[in-house]
Amino acid sequence: MEKNNLHQQTSRGTKAKALLDDPLLKEGFEYLFEQYRTEIFNTSYKDDEQRQVLWMAFNMLDKIKGHLLTVMETGKLASSELEQLTRQSKNT
């Protein structure tokens, strides 16, 4: 993989980790997960449309968090690959 791309992935991974470790963002995810879950269970059995909207919001929040986790993990792998390339270039 190209070094510039690895540097970019490493940088993005670091930023994603910083976001996921940010207490305010953590609080926001936790709050919204709980709000959506509570609201879903408080809808009446006739309110399919409201439940569907809440379900989509709940799942979208999970997808956003999952994307940040994926970017973070990709950054870790890219960082390891860069370290390996650096060691190899020193040994040659």
Side-chain angles (χ1 to χ4, degrees):
M1 188 174 281
E2 187 179 312
K3 269 191 171 184
N4 284 342
N5 192 21
L6 291 171
H7 284 292
Q8 182 182 26
Q9 287 180 349
T10 300
S11 175
R12 287 171 42 89
T14 302
K15 290 175 186 175
K17 183 177 181 351
L19 286 171
L20 289 166
D21 289 344
D22 184 272
L24 190 55
L25 189 62
K26 279 183 178 181
E27 178 187 320
F29 275 121
E30 290 169 10
Y31 172 79
L32 289 172
F33 274 125
E34 189 55 39
Q35 282 295 115
Y36 294 147
R37 186 180 344 212
T38 300
E39 289 180 31
I40 286 170
F41 287 110
N42 287 331
T43 58
S44 76
Y45 74 96
K46 293 180 182 180
D47 203 353
D48 290 333
E49 187 176 326
Q50 182 65 16
R51 247 188 328 279
Q52 184 178 16
V53 168
L54 290 166
W55 181 86
M56 286 189 308
F58 183 86
N59 282 292
M60 186 57 65
L61 190 62
D62 194 43
K63 287 182 187 295
I64 292 167
K65 189 173 183 180
H67 176 71
L68 289 172
L69 287 167
T70 299
V71 170
M72 182 182 74
E73 291 302 319
T74 301
K76 287 179 184 178
L77 292 172
S79 179
S80 294
E81 196 171 330
L82 278 170
E83 288 174 13
Q84 185 178 15
L85 288 171
T86 302
R87 281 192 300 270
Q88 287 174 352
S89 68
K90 286 181 181 180
N91 292 333
T92 56

